[in-house]
C-alpha cells in the first residue's frame, strides 16, 4: 500500500528505525556483496537467513507476522516489515530510504541518482541507525 508518493506501509515485525541505501533483489544469488544495505525483496525462504546479519533492515512484499522471515528477524533484532505491496515495482537498488519497522512504514528519501553522502562513502558509511 502506498499512501503518499514514496511512502509504503506493511506489517511491522521487528521494531527499529534505520536509514540507508537499499538493495532490491529478486533472487538470493543477487545478494553477493551485501554489506549493511536494507534488503528489499518479494519473498524469502529459510535459505535467506544467513544474509540477515549482513543487512541493516528488511522489507518484504509477501509474508505475515508469523512468516519465517518475521520470526527469525525478531530473534535477530533486525528491523523488518512484511506484506508491503509494490516494493519491487517502485524501488531500485541505490535509493536511500527510512525504514520505521515499529510503524510498518518505509519512505523514500533519495532516488539514488543525486547521492547526498560523500562520493567515496561505502554503503556501510552511508548507513545511519537512529
Amino acid at each position: 500500500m502506498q499512501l503518499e508518493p514514496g511512502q509504503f506501509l506493511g506489517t511491522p515485525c521487528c521494531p527499529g528505525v534505520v536509514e540507508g541505501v537499499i538493495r532490491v533483489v529478486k533472487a538470493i544469488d543477487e545478494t553477493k556483496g551485501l554489506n549493511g544495505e536494507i534488503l528489499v525483496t518479494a519473498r524469502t525462504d529459510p535459505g535467506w537467513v544467513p544474509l540477515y546479519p549482513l543487512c541493516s533492515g528488511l522489507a518484504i512484499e509477501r509474508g505475515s507476522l508469523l512468516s519465517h522471515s518475521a520470526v527469525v528477524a525478531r530473534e535477530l533484532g533486525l528491523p523488518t516489515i512484511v506484506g508491503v505491496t509494490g516494493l519491487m515495482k517502485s524501488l531500485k537498488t541505490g535509493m536511500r530510504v527510512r525504514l520505521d519497522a515499529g510503524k510498518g512504514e518505509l519512505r523514500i528519501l533519495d532516488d539514488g541518482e543525486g547521492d547526498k553522502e560523500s562520493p567515496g562513502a561505502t554503503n556501510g558509511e552511508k548507513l545511519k541507525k537512529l
Side-chain angles (χ1 to χ4, degrees):
M1 170 187 229
Q2 185 173 354
L3 301 177
E4 300 171 9
Q7 180 186 28
F8 300 85
L9 288 181
T11 302
C13 294
C14 182
V17 178
V18 75
E19 285 184 12
V21 175
I22 60 170
R23 170 89 69 95
V24 179
V25 298
K26 294 179 183 173
I28 196 167
D29 61 347
E30 298 173 6
T31 61
K32 185 174 181 173
L34 188 64
N35 182 24
E37 296 99 333
I38 297 168
L39 183 61
V40 175
T41 190
R43 64 185 60 82
T44 64
D45 61 47
W48 291 64
V49 171
L51 300 172
Y52 290 5
L54 304 175
C55 58
S56 59
L58 192 56
I60 306 172
E61 276 193 337
R62 297 185 59 177
S64 69
L65 195 56
L66 295 177
S67 65
H68 186 264
S69 297
V71 171
V72 173
R74 282 192 296 276
E75 290 173 358
L76 296 175
L78 179 64
T80 300
I81 302 172
V82 298
V84 190
T85 304
L87 289 179
M88 300 300 286
K89 289 190 307 185
S90 303
L91 302 180
K92 298 193 181 337
T93 295
M95 289 178 154
R96 247 183 107 63
V97 301
R98 175 183 171 95
L99 178 77
D100 186 337
K103 293 180 180 176
E105 180 185 64
L106 184 142
R107 282 188 181 269
I108 298 171
L109 301 176
D110 183 10
D111 65 8
E113 300 295 320
D115 188 25
K116 295 179 172 96
E117 303 292 333
S118 61
T122 66
N123 285 332
E125 291 168 335
K126 291 178 185 177
L127 176 69
K128 177 181 163 189
K129 286 196 176 188
L130 301 175

